[in-house]
Amino acid sequence: MAELLDDEALERSSVVANRVMNRERGLTGSNGYGRELGIDVLEVLRERVKAGRRVRWLDLCCGSARALFEVSRHLGDEAEIVGVDLVDFFAGPSRPPRLRLVTASITGWEPEEPFDLITCVHGLHYVGDKLGVLSRAAGWLAEDGLFVGNLDTRSVLMEDGVPAGRRLASALREAGLDYDPRRRRITCRGRRVVDLPYRYLGSDDRAGPNYTGQPAVDSYYAHGS
């Protein structure tokens, strides 16, 4: 097994700090949220507004938050939007409570209220405890909320360096999460308690490029919670 980094050391890594995957991503276009997540973020939120509900969207690893500013311009005070990113490289200032941008690690940050929609576009590629973040995000949803993110299960390795593979996919399904291996997309519908049978050991920032073509982070686990 490679010499592993803890979360603090990983977040100082140039691979994580200099990632470009989400810096200028908008809602639409060839690399927009719609293409990467398979949903129309604005339409998902609008449907909830039409139902007369206060709508809340959380975007993890939001990069410059360009997409969040787009939604804020469309929905105004009808949506409460929160973006969290490790690096303070936002395209504009926070406008709380309508739009709040937080500089923090998503492995330690906690929200105060549930969300109707939680997204994470390619951010998990740079996180150490990917499964821990998924488990926590599922608990941040409203009862009928939706989480969608990108996950490459080939970057989730066991302590012997072998990818967790089908066993992980089965564990995710048993926990109520849907994983699309072709699109490398993970989905959770409705708040739930997720207790996956994996114990996080550490990460390796020398994994090299993943399917996106960008250098990513491998995460190592042992069986058992």
Side-chain angles (χ1 to χ4, degrees):
M1 184 169 61
E3 183 178 349
L4 301 181
L5 303 176
D6 60 21
D7 285 344
E8 184 178 351
L10 177 65
E11 289 168 4
R12 294 196 301 267
S13 164
S14 60
V15 171
V16 174
N18 294 332
R19 68 193 188 279
V20 297
M21 288 299 301
N22 216 25
R23 287 294 170 232
E24 298 300 327
R25 193 184 307 278
L27 288 177
T28 59
S30 60
N31 70 338
Y33 277 49
R35 180 180 178 86
E36 300 299 336
L37 298 180
I39 62 169
D40 184 330
V41 169
L42 187 56
E43 187 59 27
V44 169
L45 298 176
R46 274 178 169 157
E47 286 300 314
R48 308 223 170 199
V49 170
K50 289 177 184 177
R53 296 177 50 174
R54 184 184 69 150
V55 64
R56 303 187 77 237
W57 172 32
L58 168 64
D59 191 35
L60 300 173
C61 304
C62 66
S64 68
R66 176 182 165 191
L68 284 70
F69 281 98
E70 289 183 53
V71 171
S72 182
R73 285 194 293 270
H74 282 285
L75 296 183
D77 292 334
E78 295 178 316
E80 187 173 342
I81 303 169
V82 179
V84 182
D85 199 88
L86 184 63
V87 180
D88 184 357
F89 196 71
F90 304 125
S94 288
R95 297 183 175 89
R98 185 177 69 179
L99 173 59
R100 183 161 65 97
L101 302 174
V102 180
T103 303
S105 167
I106 66 171
T107 61
W109 180 81
E110 292 277 352
E112 296 177 354
E113 295 183 66
F115 290 88
D116 299 281
L117 176 66
I118 302 176
T119 54
C120 187
V121 182
H122 294 301
L124 290 173
H125 305 324
Y126 307 98
V127 170
D129 189 4
K130 306 178 199 307
L131 302 184
V133 169
L134 288 175
S135 299
R136 293 167 69 236
W140 298 342
L141 289 169
E143 290 296 334
D144 60 347
L146 172 66
F147 168 82
V148 187
N150 302 110
L151 175 69
D152 184 4
T153 57
R154 293 177 300 181
S155 67
V156 177
L157 309 177
M158 304 311 297
E159 53 191 325
D160 59 2
V162 175
R166 292 181 179 178
R167 187 168 181 177
L168 171 60
S170 296
L172 292 171
R173 286 194 298 270
E174 290 173 6
L177 305 175
D178 294 321
Y179 182 65
D180 183 337
R182 185 169 70 86
R183 295 181 175 85
R184 299 178 180 88
R185 190 179 293 153
I186 186 84
T187 305
C188 179
R189 296 183 181 275
R191 182 168 68 236
R192 63 187 65 245
V193 176
V194 173
D195 186 17
L196 296 170
Y198 294 93
R199 177 169 53 86
Y200 178 58
L201 300 176
S203 59
D204 182 7
D205 64 349
R206 297 164 295 179
N210 67 359
Y211 72 95
T212 66
Q214 296 290 333
V217 171
D218 281 344
S219 302
Y220 283 77
Y221 292 84
H223 287 296
S225 55

